[in-house]
Amino acid sequence: MWQSSPPGSIYDYIRVASFSIGPDGLIEQWSRRAAGLFGIAADEAVGKDPVEAFMPSELRTDGHRRVGEILDGKEWTGLVPFRMPGADAVHGLAELYVMPSETGSGERAALCIVVDVRALRRIETDLAASQAIFGQSPFGFVLFGTDFTVVRANQRFATVFGGQADDHRGRTVDDYLARPEAERLTATLKRVLETGESVTDLQLVGTAPGDAESRHWSMNLYRVHSGAGRPVGIAGLATDVTRRHIAAREAASARRNLALLNEASARIGNSLDLETTARELLDVAVPGFCDLASVDLYQGLLTGDEAPPGSWGSLRQEPVGGSAELRRVAFASAVSDALPVTVPDSIATEGHTDPPALGAVHRYPFNSPCAIALRTGQVKNVPGDDRGFVQSTLAVPMVAHDTVVGLVQFSRTKGSEPFGERDRALATELAARAAVCIDNARLYRREHERALILQRSLLPPGDPEAAGLDIACRYLPGNAATEVGGDWFDVIELPGHRTALVVGDVMGRGLRAAVAMGELRTAVRTLALLDLEPAEVLSALDEVARGLGTPGGSTASDGLGGGAQWPSRASHKSRDADLSEVYLATCVYAVYDSVTRRCTFANAGHLPPVVVEPGEPALLLDVPPGMPLGVGGEPFEEVEVELKEGALLALYTDGLVESRDHPLDEGLQALRNALVEPALPLEDVCDHVLATLDTRHGEDDIALLMARIQGLPSDAVGDWQLPREPRSVGRARELARSQLIAWDLDDLVDTTELLVSELVTNALRYGESEIRLRLLRDRTLVCEVWDAGLVQPRRRRARDTDEGGRGLQLVGLLSAAWGSRRTPRGKTVWFELRLPDGQPAAERTVEQLLSMF
């Protein structure tokens, strides 16, 4: 069995045969491998001349010579062409090694070793290719044995892990990787060796010798077999994919950043509240961008200071002693619900080592990174320290329109990836977007507060009071965001304990409608003080409304000397812009006389008033609506109604009874149904109406003015007719004295007698027909003198030589108020005195007394 070889030997890969030549030059022995190599059995080869049997004819002469030399005792090695015997002879080339030998009888013979050169050349080629691939590859090749030690490694592998390639023989994976990664690779090697299944793209993380940075490798593993098919180890091809991993990480970071910016666009700025906007920023940043975050806003910004930019956050101005006062308005944490126990000293606030609590007002030290960031508008990176769990912090100023509104801090805890340049850019972008939203919220709040001031200034302050009326009112703006609109109501006290009740609605909403409403309301008050009839008030108000839609607020044409001038191009543009804003309004104007309990109505396109008399259902008053204010060209009609004691009068705007979900008629009927209990306190009636009706508050403004009729009692009125004769002056004084004594107003007797005497005297001198004197007692004392004359009294300053002309000056000096108004049959001159409150009356100064002379 000498020709047999164990598994895994060299003879598994090359073809080797042997035979012997006897002293006669003929084949004496023929091995099994020779039979396999040449395809001739031993019984066919033994006894034949090898030169004649295997060599080509042209080489036989030289072959016989060589055989003779060998039998003479010479060794020989060389390449010998051969052919297989038979018709289909196969030519080949063999490497022959001939060794002289001796037989048992001392004769010379030869032993021949034959190797198939083709197999050797194939092995040489395979080895050369394998060596080239293994040694020259830019990738790390390593061959593990069945015991998982390194059998062979190429130079590229050695370049990464140090030394020469042969130095790595016998090493294990523990010599290259940390324990978790080494255990994972060892388990994978065992699986590949046992199953034969290859593994591709096994991701490993480690560090090369002398390199502190982590490296990433991708490794492919497959089982290696011998020529006989026996597993001899595991081959590994390792590729450094650190750059690819970094690129993938950067791409993932870029995608994350884009996603965060997209989320920030959708989630930040949905509210016009400063604190809410700050919380929206942190909802986006934590935990998608950082582990901890906080927002500080300048205290001056939160309190609504109207100081110029720079007083609380200009890039060019900051208090010398440190940052201006800030308030912590938002905090978020993905680590814990509580604030961190410690923070780096560099971001601590003045007087505190812990971060400020939510809502706390604080300052940053002058040289701290946070204060520097606020001063310069630049991002500052604040490293953590060993005491806390914060790895690093980005202090990012929130800049909007070159003004710093606050500071946002993004922190990552230890173990998280540190902030990079991309993170700084993203943090700056997030802070800038939030800053713009916060600045918009600040500007909105400022305009909102101004609009509220305007709105409130245009509505009656507090609870309106009027003689002979119990009044309650409600105003609900349709746009809850701005709280300004075009609806208004007003209660105007008129002479003679009369009251004007007004409800109007400017079409449109917002600040422009509120401004138009303010102009109309002011006009109504001015016209009411002229004591015009309701229809006259609306006619004049219509002219005012039409003037709002023309350049300069006037309907008159401009010109000099009666000649028209051509307007400039700028004036044309102004006119076109102004005319594009058409102001239309509806209004109901009512004047109530508490003495007669009569109310006179005039309506300009408004909804009808509602009256509820005791024990009766609510009724819509039939007041001709007329055209809205601003249309012009149509007169307004008046309707006078006598109201019963305890009756309820309701004036309102269409937002109370009209919506897109139900028609106006249904809303009016619902309002009438809601006024079924007029005896309730008036405030409760208002609340009941608003709670009962489906107003869909928010779609339109709502104004509601309700008044309960409480006429003056008969014993609070003194009314007398006086003949047109001089003795009526004395009679008037007597009547006034008697009435005041009956009312227990003795303190007012002297003043009243004097002023009544002056008014009656003027009526006799300048008036016509008989004279009427009336005293009214309510919250004040009112004295009225009526006559048929049309000439209105005019107060003037008397000259030193004048014997008269000081009566009206005396009236103005001694009364709380005085005036005159037209009546259907003449005029009425009146004055008003405050009722005594138990305190002595203030004495007149010398200047006041001398002003009459």
Side-chain angles (χ1 to χ4, degrees):
M1 299 301 294
W2 61 273
Q3 72 272 26
S4 298
S5 59
S9 69
I10 187 64
Y11 302 108
D12 291 339
Y13 302 96
I14 62 175
R15 302 177 70 183
V16 181
S18 65
F19 62 91
S20 64
I21 300 176
D24 55 359
L26 302 178
I27 297 175
E28 187 175 61
Q29 292 180 327
W30 189 256
S31 68
R32 292 180 181 177
R33 285 186 176 267
L37 176 63
F38 294 104
I40 301 175
D43 56 353
E44 297 178 0
V46 172
K48 291 185 177 181
D49 185 347
V51 175
E52 295 293 333
F54 301 109
M55 295 186 66
S57 58
E58 64 271 14
L59 299 177
R60 289 175 184 174
T61 302
D62 187 59
H64 285 297
R65 183 175 59 81
R66 295 288 185 187
V67 171
E69 293 176 352
I70 293 170
L71 293 177
D72 288 339
K74 292 182 178 181
E75 291 186 3
W76 183 83
T77 301
L79 297 177
V80 179
F82 69 91
R83 64 177 179 82
M84 301 298 184
D88 299 328
V90 177
H91 293 269
L93 183 66
E95 184 173 356
L96 185 63
Y97 178 40
V98 183
M99 296 174 291
S101 65
E102 292 182 359
T103 63
S105 59
E107 295 180 304
R108 292 185 178 182
L111 176 63
C112 300
I113 305 297
V114 182
V115 179
D116 189 351
V117 176
R118 294 173 301 176
L120 287 176
R121 295 293 180 266
R122 187 166 57 248
I123 291 174
E124 288 177 354
T125 302
D126 291 346
L127 287 175
S130 174
Q131 182 61 33
I133 294 173
F134 197 81
Q136 302 174 18
S137 172
F139 308 110
F141 268 101
V142 61
L143 179 63
F144 295 96
T146 55
D147 59 352
F148 308 121
T149 61
V150 177
V151 176
R152 188 179 179 187
N154 69 349
Q155 189 58 40
R156 176 61 181 169
F157 184 87
T159 301
V160 176
F161 290 99
Q164 299 297 319
D166 292 339
D167 298 338
H168 294 272
R169 296 181 185 273
R171 294 185 179 180
T172 65
V173 294
D174 294 307
D175 297 320
Y176 304 106
L177 300 173
R179 179 177 296 276
E181 293 289 272
E183 292 177 350
R184 189 162 65 91
L185 178 57
T186 301
T188 305
L189 291 173
K190 289 181 180 179
R191 187 171 71 251
V192 172
L193 182 63
E194 293 173 357
T195 64
E197 297 179 356
S198 60
V199 173
T200 59
D201 197 21
L202 175 64
Q203 297 292 319
L204 298 172
V205 180
T207 56
D211 191 358
E213 297 292 333
S214 296
R215 311 291 295 178
H216 295 261
W217 293 284
S218 172
M219 198 165 194
N220 298 328
L221 300 172
Y222 57 93
R223 191 169 67 183
V224 179
H225 305 83
S226 67
R230 181 176 58 89
V232 295
I234 304 100
L237 174 63
T239 305
D240 191 335
V241 294
T242 303
R243 292 184 178 179
R244 187 177 72 186
H245 180 80
I246 293 175
R249 185 175 60 190
E250 290 181 350
S253 176
R255 289 193 297 270
R256 182 201 63 187
N257 292 354
L258 290 175
L260 278 174
L261 289 177
N262 182 61
E263 185 181 5
S265 300
R267 297 181 60 181
I268 299 177
N270 293 323
S271 170
L272 290 173
D273 180 74
L274 300 178
E275 290 82 354
T276 302
T277 302
R279 288 193 296 269
E280 290 171 347
L281 168 61
L282 300 193
D283 290 341
V284 172
V286 180
F289 177 67
C290 61
D291 301 316
L292 304 168
S294 62
V295 176
D296 299 323
L297 297 181
Y298 278 107
Q299 179 71 356
L301 181 147
L302 293 168
T303 55
D305 290 350
E306 287 297 329
S311 297
W312 43 257
S314 173
L315 295 179
R316 298 174 296 276
Q317 180 176 348
E318 190 75 15
V320 177
S323 71
E325 286 188 341
L326 298 109
R327 186 194 304 173
R328 178 64 52 88
V329 296
F331 176 82
S333 171
V335 180
S336 172
D337 293 335
L339 293 174
V341 176
T342 59
V343 295
D345 292 334
S346 53
I347 62 174
T349 57
E350 289 185 354
H352 300 278
T353 57
D354 294 339
L358 193 63
V361 178
H362 61 92
R363 296 176 183 266
Y364 288 108
F366 182 78
N367 292 322
S368 66
C370 291
I372 295 174
L374 290 169
R375 264 196 320 274
T376 62
Q378 302 296 321
V379 180
K380 293 298 178 183
N381 196 338
V382 185
D385 54 29
D386 297 334
R387 297 177 303 163
F389 63 88
V390 175
Q391 180 192 70
S392 62
T393 298
L394 290 178
V396 187
M398 305 176 72
V399 183
H401 311 300
D402 292 332
T403 299
V404 180
V405 299
L407 182 77
V408 56
Q409 298 179 55
F410 303 106
S411 301
R412 288 182 179 174
T413 57
K414 293 179 179 178
S416 299
E417 185 178 354
F419 289 113
E421 287 301 320
R422 290 181 181 269
D423 296 324
R424 288 171 63 95
L426 177 61
T428 303
E429 180 65 21
L430 290 175
R433 295 195 179 197
V436 171
C437 295
I438 287 175
D439 193 53
N440 290 340
R442 176 186 67 84
L443 295 175
Y444 160 77
R445 187 176 64 179
R446 184 185 67 183
E447 298 303 320
H448 182 203
E449 290 175 352
R450 291 177 178 177
L452 284 179
I453 294 173
L454 171 63
Q455 183 77 61
R456 292 163 183 165
S457 68
L458 298 178
L459 296 176
D463 296 328
E465 295 182 355
L469 291 176
D470 181 16
I471 295 177
C473 51
R474 296 289 186 274
Y475 176 79
L476 300 177
N479 189 345
T482 60
E483 296 189 14
V484 292
D487 290 15
W488 91 93
F489 66 90
D490 209 344
V491 179
I492 307 170
E493 293 189 72
L494 301 177
H497 288 317
R498 294 174 304 129
T499 304
L501 304 175
V502 189
V503 169
D505 183 1
V506 176
M507 296 182 185
R509 60 178 65 177
L511 190 59
R512 297 184 65 87
V515 171
M517 176 267 285
E519 295 192 40
L520 293 178
R521 177 180 179 272
T522 302
V524 169
R525 281 194 157 261
T526 302
L527 295 171
L529 293 178
L530 297 178
D531 215 347
L532 302 177
E533 296 297 324
E536 293 177 326
V537 171
L538 293 186
S539 296
L541 199 61
D542 178 63
E543 293 291 334
V544 174
R546 283 192 291 164
L548 295 178
T550 59
S554 173
T555 59
S557 60
D558 295 330
L560 292 175
Q565 287 188 339
W566 294 103
S568 64
R569 179 175 300 180
S571 66
H572 273 299
K573 292 183 179 179
S574 176
R575 182 181 298 273
D576 292 340
D578 289 337
L579 289 177
S580 65
E581 297 291 342
V582 178
Y583 293 93
L584 297 178
T586 63
C587 179
V588 60
Y589 184 88
V591 176
Y592 170 71
D593 190 336
S594 61
V595 178
T596 63
R597 294 199 309 275
R598 287 185 171 273
C599 191
T600 304
F601 297 91
N603 192 348
H606 204 78
L607 296 174
V610 177
V611 173
V612 186
E613 294 186 344
E616 301 291 336
L619 297 175
L620 298 176
L621 291 180
D622 186 13
V623 179
M627 299 298 292
L629 301 176
V631 175
E634 293 294 332
F636 298 98
E637 300 183 34
E638 293 182 357
V639 173
E640 187 177 69
V641 178
E642 183 175 352
L643 303 174
K644 294 183 179 180
E645 185 75 17
L648 193 64
L649 174 64
L651 305 178
Y652 52 92
T653 57
D654 56 358
L656 182 68
V657 295
E658 186 178 20
S659 74
R660 64 186 63 181
D661 296 327
H662 56 76
L664 178 60
D665 291 343
E666 292 183 4
L668 292 174
Q669 184 60 45
L671 174 59
R672 295 172 60 188
N673 295 338
L675 297 172
V676 293
E677 297 183 7
L680 292 175
L682 205 53
E683 294 290 338
D684 295 343
V685 175
C686 286
D687 294 336
H688 176 72
V689 169
L690 293 177
T692 303
L693 269 63
D694 183 16
T695 61
R696 298 297 176 95
H697 177 222
E699 294 181 359
D700 197 2
D701 307 331
I702 296 175
L704 175 62
L705 177 61
M706 304 192 75
R708 177 172 284 120
I709 304 303
Q710 297 174 347
L712 289 180
S714 58
D715 58 359
V717 179
D719 195 346
W720 305 277
Q721 295 288 340
L722 299 175
R724 187 174 182 79
E725 54 187 30
R727 62 178 182 176
S728 294
V729 177
R731 178 60 178 164
R733 287 198 300 265
E734 293 176 3
L735 293 173
R737 173 183 290 273
S738 301
Q739 187 65 70
L740 292 182
I741 293 175
W743 286 341
D744 293 329
L745 298 178
D746 298 24
D747 293 342
L748 299 181
V749 170
D750 294 338
T751 302
T752 303
E753 279 190 304
L754 177 59
L755 299 185
V756 166
S757 175
E758 290 294 336
L759 295 188
V760 174
T761 300
N762 284 344
L764 290 173
R765 181 175 299 179
Y766 304 107
E768 299 177 6
S769 186
E770 62 181 8
I771 300 171
R772 181 180 176 187
L773 172 64
R774 188 168 71 169
L775 295 179
L776 306 176
R777 181 187 59 126
D778 191 63
R779 291 177 293 114
T780 61
L781 175 67
V782 175
C783 174
E784 298 176 329
V785 176
W786 298 9
D787 67 77
L790 298 179
V791 179
Q792 296 290 324
R794 182 173 62 88
R795 182 177 177 180
R796 64 184 179 85
R797 181 176 293 276
R799 291 175 296 184
D800 294 343
T801 58
D802 291 341
E803 296 182 359
R806 298 179 178 85
L808 292 182
Q809 288 186 349
L810 185 64
V811 173
L813 179 65
L814 298 180
S815 65
W818 78 277
S820 66
R821 66 177 185 273
R822 291 184 301 166
T823 63
R825 293 183 299 275
K827 67 177 182 297
T828 300
V829 183
W830 57 272
F831 67 84
E832 183 175 332
L833 296 176
R834 296 185 181 90
L835 299 183
D837 54 3
Q839 300 295 329
E843 296 184 358
R844 303 293 176 179
T845 64
V846 175
E847 289 77 9
Q848 289 176 330
L849 295 175
L850 291 178
S851 65
M852 296 184 296
F853 300 97

